[in-house]
mmCIF file of all heavy atoms in Angstrom:
data_model
loop_
_atom_site.group_PDB
_atom_site.id
_atom_site.type_symbol
_atom_site.label_atom_id
_atom_site.label_comp_id
_atom_site.label_asym_id
_atom_site.label_seq_id
_atom_site.Cartn_x
_atom_site.Cartn_y
_atom_site.Cartn_z
ATOM 1 N N ARG A 1 -3.981 21.477 -1.569
ATOM 2 C CA ARG A 1 -3.018 22.176 -2.391
ATOM 3 C C ARG A 1 -3.539 23.580 -2.717
ATOM 4 O O ARG A 1 -2.763 24.527 -2.821
ATOM 5 C CB ARG A 1 -2.691 21.405 -3.625
ATOM 6 C CG ARG A 1 -2.029 19.964 -3.294
ATOM 7 C CD ARG A 1 -1.374 19.341 -4.561
ATOM 8 N NE ARG A 1 -1.033 17.979 -4.267
ATOM 9 C CZ ARG A 1 -0.053 17.555 -3.570
ATOM 10 N NH1 ARG A 1 0.731 18.449 -3.010
ATOM 11 N NH2 ARG A 1 0.254 16.264 -3.356
ATOM 12 N N GLU A 2 -4.779 23.671 -2.983
ATOM 13 C CA GLU A 2 -5.378 24.964 -3.277
ATOM 14 C C GLU A 2 -5.338 25.900 -2.087
ATOM 15 O O GLU A 2 -5.037 27.102 -2.177
ATOM 16 C CB GLU A 2 -6.818 24.852 -3.743
ATOM 17 C CG GLU A 2 -7.515 26.137 -4.200
ATOM 18 C CD GLU A 2 -6.771 26.757 -5.382
ATOM 19 O OE1 GLU A 2 -6.228 26.017 -6.250
ATOM 20 O OE2 GLU A 2 -6.752 28.024 -5.496
ATOM 21 N N LEU A 3 -5.573 25.385 -0.880
ATOM 22 C CA LEU A 3 -5.527 26.157 0.351
ATOM 23 C C LEU A 3 -4.074 26.665 0.565
ATOM 24 O O LEU A 3 -3.828 27.739 1.080
ATOM 25 C CB LEU A 3 -5.951 25.308 1.569
ATOM 26 C CG LEU A 3 -7.406 25.040 1.690
ATOM 27 C CD1 LEU A 3 -7.658 24.032 2.869
ATOM 28 C CD2 LEU A 3 -8.175 26.401 2.108
ATOM 29 N N ALA A 4 -3.113 25.774 0.219
ATOM 30 C CA ALA A 4 -1.712 26.099 0.488
ATOM 31 C C ALA A 4 -1.073 26.979 -0.574
ATOM 32 O O ALA A 4 0.039 27.453 -0.392
ATOM 33 C CB ALA A 4 -0.901 24.785 0.646
ATOM 34 N N ARG A 5 -1.765 27.169 -1.691
ATOM 35 C CA ARG A 5 -1.224 27.985 -2.794
ATOM 36 C C ARG A 5 -0.926 29.392 -2.259
ATOM 37 O O ARG A 5 -1.695 30.086 -1.622
ATOM 38 C CB ARG A 5 -2.223 28.059 -3.892
ATOM 39 C CG ARG A 5 -1.674 28.700 -5.175
ATOM 40 C CD ARG A 5 -2.771 28.862 -6.235
ATOM 41 N NE ARG A 5 -3.428 27.567 -6.570
ATOM 42 C CZ ARG A 5 -2.924 26.735 -7.462
ATOM 43 N NH1 ARG A 5 -1.765 27.008 -8.097
ATOM 44 N NH2 ARG A 5 -3.597 25.615 -7.690
ATOM 45 N N GLY A 6 0.302 29.843 -2.517
ATOM 46 C CA GLY A 6 0.712 31.174 -2.121
ATOM 47 C C GLY A 6 1.070 31.310 -0.661
ATOM 48 O O GLY A 6 1.396 32.383 -0.182
ATOM 49 N N THR A 7 1.151 30.137 0.065
ATOM 50 C CA THR A 7 1.562 30.167 1.449
ATOM 51 C C THR A 7 2.886 29.503 1.557
ATOM 52 O O THR A 7 3.480 29.005 0.597
ATOM 53 C CB THR A 7 0.574 29.401 2.385
ATOM 54 O OG1 THR A 7 0.673 27.993 2.153
ATOM 55 C CG2 THR A 7 -0.891 29.823 2.032
ATOM 56 N N SER A 8 3.405 29.364 2.744
ATOM 57 C CA SER A 8 4.736 28.714 2.973
ATOM 58 C C SER A 8 4.604 27.215 3.266
ATOM 59 O O SER A 8 5.567 26.567 3.593
ATOM 60 C CB SER A 8 5.473 29.370 4.168
ATOM 61 O OG SER A 8 4.641 29.302 5.381
ATOM 62 N N THR A 9 3.365 26.689 3.154
ATOM 63 C CA THR A 9 3.116 25.270 3.439
ATOM 64 C C THR A 9 3.311 24.436 2.233
ATOM 65 O O THR A 9 2.699 24.703 1.210
ATOM 66 C CB THR A 9 1.732 25.024 3.991
ATOM 67 O OG1 THR A 9 1.539 25.834 5.188
ATOM 68 C CG2 THR A 9 1.454 23.583 4.332
ATOM 69 N N GLN A 10 4.147 23.390 2.316
ATOM 70 C CA GLN A 10 4.285 22.427 1.275
ATOM 71 C C GLN A 10 3.424 21.185 1.590
ATOM 72 O O GLN A 10 3.475 20.631 2.725
ATOM 73 C CB GLN A 10 5.716 21.948 1.067
ATOM 74 C CG GLN A 10 5.791 20.898 -0.107
ATOM 75 C CD GLN A 10 7.234 20.429 -0.353
ATOM 76 O OE1 GLN A 10 8.167 20.711 0.388
ATOM 77 N NE2 GLN A 10 7.363 19.718 -1.422
ATOM 78 N N VAL A 11 2.555 20.810 0.669
ATOM 79 C CA VAL A 11 1.653 19.624 0.851
ATOM 80 C C VAL A 11 2.313 18.465 0.139
ATOM 81 O O VAL A 11 2.521 18.498 -1.110
ATOM 82 C CB VAL A 11 0.259 19.979 0.340
ATOM 83 C CG1 VAL A 11 -0.617 18.732 0.433
ATOM 84 C CG2 VAL A 11 -0.328 21.136 1.035
ATOM 85 N N ILE A 12 2.572 17.406 0.945
ATOM 86 C CA ILE A 12 3.236 16.246 0.320
ATOM 87 C C ILE A 12 2.341 15.017 0.435
ATOM 88 O O ILE A 12 1.696 14.722 1.443
ATOM 89 C CB ILE A 12 4.510 15.914 1.124
ATOM 90 C CG1 ILE A 12 5.462 17.079 1.003
ATOM 91 C CG2 ILE A 12 5.194 14.677 0.628
ATOM 92 C CD1 ILE A 12 6.808 16.986 1.746
ATOM 93 N N ALA A 13 2.295 14.307 -0.690
ATOM 94 C CA ALA A 13 1.615 12.939 -0.714
ATOM 95 C C ALA A 13 2.735 11.869 -0.821
ATOM 96 O O ALA A 13 3.557 11.918 -1.765
ATOM 97 C CB ALA A 13 0.658 12.849 -1.866
ATOM 98 N N LEU A 14 2.752 10.965 0.087
ATOM 99 C CA LEU A 14 3.753 9.904 0.063
ATOM 100 C C LEU A 14 3.058 8.566 -0.236
ATOM 101 O O LEU A 14 2.230 8.093 0.455
ATOM 102 C CB LEU A 14 4.445 9.813 1.455
ATOM 103 C CG LEU A 14 5.488 8.665 1.649
ATOM 104 C CD1 LEU A 14 6.623 8.813 0.595
ATOM 105 C CD2 LEU A 14 6.039 8.592 3.033
ATOM 106 N N TYR A 15 3.488 8.013 -1.342
ATOM 107 C CA TYR A 15 2.967 6.713 -1.822
ATOM 108 C C TYR A 15 3.955 5.628 -1.523
ATOM 109 O O TYR A 15 5.111 5.705 -1.925
ATOM 110 C CB TYR A 15 2.605 6.758 -3.272
ATOM 111 C CG TYR A 15 1.697 7.868 -3.648
ATOM 112 C CD1 TYR A 15 2.122 8.971 -4.427
ATOM 113 C CD2 TYR A 15 0.375 7.888 -3.171
ATOM 114 C CE1 TYR A 15 1.269 10.005 -4.794
ATOM 115 C CE2 TYR A 15 -0.447 8.945 -3.500
ATOM 116 C CZ TYR A 15 -0.082 10.005 -4.288
ATOM 117 O OH TYR A 15 -0.918 11.015 -4.621
ATOM 118 N N THR A 16 3.491 4.529 -0.865
ATOM 119 C CA THR A 16 4.456 3.491 -0.374
ATOM 120 C C THR A 16 4.245 2.113 -0.852
ATOM 121 O O THR A 16 4.915 1.218 -0.476
ATOM 122 C CB THR A 16 4.337 3.499 1.155
ATOM 123 O OG1 THR A 16 3.008 3.069 1.534
ATOM 124 C CG2 THR A 16 4.535 4.866 1.790
ATOM 125 N N GLY A 17 3.257 1.977 -1.736
ATOM 126 C CA GLY A 17 2.837 0.587 -2.127
ATOM 127 C C GLY A 17 2.151 -0.092 -1.036
ATOM 128 O O GLY A 17 1.408 0.583 -0.210
ATOM 129 N N LEU A 18 2.218 -1.411 -0.926
ATOM 130 C CA LEU A 18 1.547 -2.163 0.130
ATOM 131 C C LEU A 18 2.327 -2.128 1.446
ATOM 132 O O LEU A 18 3.528 -2.144 1.420
ATOM 133 C CB LEU A 18 1.352 -3.635 -0.368
ATOM 134 C CG LEU A 18 0.652 -3.867 -1.644
ATOM 135 C CD1 LEU A 18 0.531 -5.361 -1.916
ATOM 136 C CD2 LEU A 18 -0.764 -3.241 -1.600
ATOM 137 N N PHE A 19 1.594 -2.122 2.556
ATOM 138 C CA PHE A 19 2.233 -2.218 3.803
ATOM 139 C C PHE A 19 2.810 -3.637 4.017
ATOM 140 O O PHE A 19 2.042 -4.612 4.002
ATOM 141 C CB PHE A 19 1.251 -1.936 4.951
ATOM 142 C CG PHE A 19 0.791 -0.549 5.066
ATOM 143 C CD1 PHE A 19 -0.071 -0.161 6.022
ATOM 144 C CD2 PHE A 19 1.207 0.461 4.132
ATOM 145 C CE1 PHE A 19 -0.595 1.234 6.137
ATOM 146 C CE2 PHE A 19 0.751 1.800 4.238
ATOM 147 C CZ PHE A 19 -0.177 2.153 5.210
ATOM 148 N N LEU A 20 4.081 -3.726 4.161
ATOM 149 C CA LEU A 20 4.727 -5.054 4.187
ATOM 150 C C LEU A 20 4.109 -6.019 5.267
ATOM 151 O O LEU A 20 3.872 -7.116 5.064
ATOM 152 C CB LEU A 20 6.261 -4.907 4.549
ATOM 153 C CG LEU A 20 7.077 -6.131 4.710
ATOM 154 C CD1 LEU A 20 7.027 -6.980 3.383
ATOM 155 C CD2 LEU A 20 8.530 -5.822 4.939
ATOM 156 N N GLU A 21 3.901 -5.419 6.502
ATOM 157 C CA GLU A 21 3.393 -6.254 7.582
ATOM 158 C C GLU A 21 1.932 -6.693 7.384
ATOM 159 O O GLU A 21 1.523 -7.665 8.031
ATOM 160 C CB GLU A 21 3.489 -5.434 8.952
ATOM 161 C CG GLU A 21 4.890 -5.160 9.351
ATOM 162 C CD GLU A 21 5.407 -3.838 8.699
ATOM 163 O OE1 GLU A 21 4.707 -3.208 7.808
ATOM 164 O OE2 GLU A 21 6.489 -3.323 9.131
ATOM 165 N N LEU A 22 1.201 -5.986 6.552
ATOM 166 C CA LEU A 22 -0.240 -6.321 6.391
ATOM 167 C C LEU A 22 -0.562 -6.995 5.064
ATOM 168 O O LEU A 22 -1.617 -7.603 4.941
ATOM 169 C CB LEU A 22 -0.997 -5.045 6.516
ATOM 170 C CG LEU A 22 -0.869 -4.192 7.740
ATOM 171 C CD1 LEU A 22 -1.670 -2.921 7.665
ATOM 172 C CD2 LEU A 22 -1.189 -5.000 8.993
ATOM 173 N N ALA A 23 0.350 -6.946 4.108
ATOM 174 C CA ALA A 23 0.058 -7.412 2.746
ATOM 175 C C ALA A 23 0.139 -8.917 2.564
ATOM 176 O O ALA A 23 -0.592 -9.485 1.698
ATOM 177 C CB ALA A 23 0.942 -6.734 1.713
ATOM 178 N N LEU A 24 1.000 -9.588 3.262
ATOM 179 C CA LEU A 24 1.261 -10.962 3.076
ATOM 180 C C LEU A 24 0.196 -11.857 3.826
ATOM 181 O O LEU A 24 0.453 -12.442 4.842
ATOM 182 C CB LEU A 24 2.693 -11.365 3.477
ATOM 183 C CG LEU A 24 3.800 -10.643 2.797
ATOM 184 C CD1 LEU A 24 5.113 -11.190 3.254
ATOM 185 C CD2 LEU A 24 3.599 -10.798 1.270
ATOM 186 N N ASN A 25 -1.030 -11.785 3.280
ATOM 187 C CA ASN A 25 -2.187 -12.459 3.847
ATOM 188 C C ASN A 25 -2.969 -13.128 2.733
ATOM 189 O O ASN A 25 -2.849 -12.798 1.603
ATOM 190 C CB ASN A 25 -3.017 -11.577 4.751
ATOM 191 C CG ASN A 25 -3.678 -10.464 3.907
ATOM 192 O OD1 ASN A 25 -4.528 -10.765 3.075
ATOM 193 N ND2 ASN A 25 -3.264 -9.191 4.123
ATOM 194 N N PRO A 26 -3.841 -14.132 3.085
ATOM 195 C CA PRO A 26 -4.623 -14.815 2.067
ATOM 196 C C PRO A 26 -5.498 -13.892 1.241
ATOM 197 O O PRO A 26 -5.807 -14.132 0.041
ATOM 198 C CB PRO A 26 -5.432 -15.816 2.860
ATOM 199 C CG PRO A 26 -4.650 -16.056 4.114
ATOM 200 C CD PRO A 26 -3.954 -14.709 4.429
ATOM 201 N N PHE A 27 -5.973 -12.772 1.831
ATOM 202 C CA PHE A 27 -6.871 -11.878 1.069
ATOM 203 C C PHE A 27 -6.144 -11.263 -0.110
ATOM 204 O O PHE A 27 -6.735 -10.931 -1.134
ATOM 205 C CB PHE A 27 -7.372 -10.775 2.019
ATOM 206 C CG PHE A 27 -8.301 -11.274 3.102
ATOM 207 C CD1 PHE A 27 -7.881 -11.325 4.366
ATOM 208 C CD2 PHE A 27 -9.538 -11.652 2.754
ATOM 209 C CE1 PHE A 27 -8.692 -11.798 5.364
ATOM 210 C CE2 PHE A 27 -10.454 -12.108 3.772
ATOM 211 C CZ PHE A 27 -10.057 -12.155 5.070
ATOM 212 N N MET A 28 -4.841 -11.110 0.018
ATOM 213 C CA MET A 28 -4.056 -10.579 -1.053
ATOM 214 C C MET A 28 -3.434 -11.626 -1.950
ATOM 215 O O MET A 28 -2.604 -11.439 -2.813
ATOM 216 C CB MET A 28 -2.965 -9.662 -0.516
ATOM 217 C CG MET A 28 -3.468 -8.468 0.323
ATOM 218 S SD MET A 28 -4.491 -7.378 -0.593
ATOM 219 C CE MET A 28 -3.358 -6.699 -1.785
ATOM 220 N N GLY A 29 -3.727 -12.933 -1.636
ATOM 221 C CA GLY A 29 -3.251 -14.043 -2.433
ATOM 222 C C GLY A 29 -1.912 -14.628 -1.917
ATOM 223 O O GLY A 29 -1.313 -15.417 -2.590
ATOM 224 N N PHE A 30 -1.565 -14.277 -0.706
ATOM 225 C CA PHE A 30 -0.344 -14.834 -0.082
ATOM 226 C C PHE A 30 -0.753 -15.678 1.178
ATOM 227 O O PHE A 30 -0.829 -15.191 2.202
ATOM 228 C CB PHE A 30 0.612 -13.724 0.343
ATOM 229 C CG PHE A 30 1.062 -12.828 -0.727
ATOM 230 C CD1 PHE A 30 0.490 -11.522 -0.956
ATOM 231 C CD2 PHE A 30 2.078 -13.213 -1.579
ATOM 232 C CE1 PHE A 30 0.913 -10.731 -1.920
ATOM 233 C CE2 PHE A 30 2.497 -12.309 -2.567
ATOM 234 C CZ PHE A 30 1.938 -11.111 -2.791
ATOM 235 N N ASP A 31 -1.047 -16.958 0.968
ATOM 236 C CA ASP A 31 -1.367 -17.843 2.044
ATOM 237 C C ASP A 31 -0.116 -18.473 2.437
ATOM 238 O O ASP A 31 0.178 -19.637 2.128
ATOM 239 C CB ASP A 31 -2.447 -18.891 1.588
ATOM 240 C CG ASP A 31 -3.041 -19.669 2.751
ATOM 241 O OD1 ASP A 31 -2.488 -19.551 3.828
ATOM 242 O OD2 ASP A 31 -3.990 -20.396 2.509
ATOM 243 N N ILE A 32 0.632 -17.788 3.379
ATOM 244 C CA ILE A 32 1.980 -18.264 3.720
ATOM 245 C C ILE A 32 1.834 -19.584 4.534
ATOM 246 O O ILE A 32 2.646 -20.539 4.358
ATOM 247 C CB ILE A 32 2.683 -17.230 4.586
ATOM 248 C CG1 ILE A 32 2.740 -15.860 3.757
ATOM 249 C CG2 ILE A 32 4.065 -17.657 4.927
ATOM 250 C CD1 ILE A 32 3.515 -15.911 2.528
ATOM 251 N N GLU A 33 0.874 -19.629 5.394
ATOM 252 C CA GLU A 33 0.648 -20.770 6.295
ATOM 253 C C GLU A 33 0.510 -22.061 5.511
ATOM 254 O O GLU A 33 1.095 -23.139 5.841
ATOM 255 C CB GLU A 33 -0.470 -20.557 7.268
ATOM 256 C CG GLU A 33 -0.649 -21.684 8.279
ATOM 257 C CD GLU A 33 -1.758 -21.468 9.266
ATOM 258 O OE1 GLU A 33 -2.245 -20.266 9.300
ATOM 259 O OE2 GLU A 33 -2.127 -22.339 9.999
ATOM 260 N N ASN A 34 -0.236 -21.961 4.442
ATOM 261 C CA ASN A 34 -0.504 -23.175 3.601
ATOM 262 C C ASN A 34 0.376 -23.273 2.406
ATOM 263 O O ASN A 34 0.158 -24.135 1.531
ATOM 264 C CB ASN A 34 -1.961 -23.191 3.240
ATOM 265 C CG ASN A 34 -2.912 -23.426 4.435
ATOM 266 O OD1 ASN A 34 -2.742 -24.359 5.157
ATOM 267 N ND2 ASN A 34 -3.836 -22.472 4.610
ATOM 268 N N ASN A 35 1.280 -22.316 2.247
ATOM 269 C CA ASN A 35 2.210 -22.311 1.149
ATOM 270 C C ASN A 35 1.472 -22.360 -0.215
ATOM 271 O O ASN A 35 1.898 -23.104 -1.142
ATOM 272 C CB ASN A 35 3.160 -23.513 1.233
ATOM 273 C CG ASN A 35 4.400 -23.389 0.361
ATOM 274 O OD1 ASN A 35 4.799 -22.316 -0.055
ATOM 275 N ND2 ASN A 35 4.990 -24.510 -0.029
ATOM 276 N N ALA A 36 0.470 -21.526 -0.303
ATOM 277 C CA ALA A 36 -0.314 -21.445 -1.545
ATOM 278 C C ALA A 36 -0.484 -19.967 -1.926
ATOM 279 O O ALA A 36 -0.700 -19.119 -1.056
ATOM 280 C CB ALA A 36 -1.676 -22.087 -1.351
ATOM 281 N N TYR A 37 -0.532 -19.691 -3.237
ATOM 282 C CA TYR A 37 -0.510 -18.280 -3.651
ATOM 283 C C TYR A 37 -1.523 -18.132 -4.892
ATOM 284 O O TYR A 37 -1.677 -19.074 -5.696
ATOM 285 C CB TYR A 37 0.891 -17.912 -4.154
ATOM 286 C CG TYR A 37 1.931 -18.198 -3.039
ATOM 287 C CD1 TYR A 37 2.523 -19.444 -3.024
ATOM 288 C CD2 TYR A 37 2.188 -17.232 -2.077
ATOM 289 C CE1 TYR A 37 3.403 -19.765 -1.981
ATOM 290 C CE2 TYR A 37 3.060 -17.545 -1.029
ATOM 291 C CZ TYR A 37 3.703 -18.810 -1.024
ATOM 292 O OH TYR A 37 4.603 -19.088 -0.009
ATOM 293 N N THR A 38 -2.199 -17.003 -4.884
ATOM 294 C CA THR A 38 -3.101 -16.725 -5.919
ATOM 295 C C THR A 38 -2.932 -15.299 -6.423
ATOM 296 O O THR A 38 -3.125 -14.364 -5.639
ATOM 297 C CB THR A 38 -4.605 -16.930 -5.469
ATOM 298 O OG1 THR A 38 -4.776 -18.220 -4.887
ATOM 299 C CG2 THR A 38 -5.553 -16.701 -6.656
ATOM 300 N N CYS A 39 -2.499 -15.116 -7.600
ATOM 301 C CA CYS A 39 -2.236 -13.722 -8.146
ATOM 302 C C CYS A 39 -3.295 -13.456 -9.220
ATOM 303 O O CYS A 39 -4.068 -14.325 -9.671
ATOM 304 C CB CYS A 39 -0.873 -13.636 -8.773
ATOM 305 S SG CYS A 39 -0.613 -14.734 -10.172
ATOM 306 N N VAL A 40 -3.435 -12.176 -9.519
ATOM 307 C CA VAL A 40 -4.275 -11.754 -10.646
ATOM 308 C C VAL A 40 -3.348 -11.259 -11.695
ATOM 309 O O VAL A 40 -2.523 -10.315 -11.521
ATOM 310 C CB VAL A 40 -5.196 -10.555 -10.166
ATOM 311 C CG1 VAL A 40 -5.945 -10.017 -11.384
ATOM 312 C CG2 VAL A 40 -6.210 -11.094 -9.086
ATOM 313 N N GLY A 41 -3.391 -11.965 -12.871
ATOM 314 C CA GLY A 41 -2.407 -11.620 -13.895
ATOM 315 C C GLY A 41 -1.174 -12.476 -13.763
ATOM 316 O O GLY A 41 -1.159 -13.459 -13.017
ATOM 317 N N PRO A 42 -0.021 -12.070 -14.300
ATOM 318 C CA PRO A 42 1.145 -12.892 -14.307
ATOM 319 C C PRO A 42 1.805 -12.973 -12.911
ATOM 320 O O PRO A 42 1.917 -11.966 -12.215
ATOM 321 C CB PRO A 42 2.098 -12.239 -15.330
ATOM 322 C CG PRO A 42 1.622 -10.772 -15.357
ATOM 323 C CD PRO A 42 0.120 -10.832 -15.120
#
């Protein structure tokens, strides 16, 4: 953003949350195959 200051370039950060295709796995607490879930917090 400092480099782009005063230029015609807009610098954009896009935040998307979790990648849907990659998030539903046991490491994230979604063990779909065994129908078991583990969350942190509520």
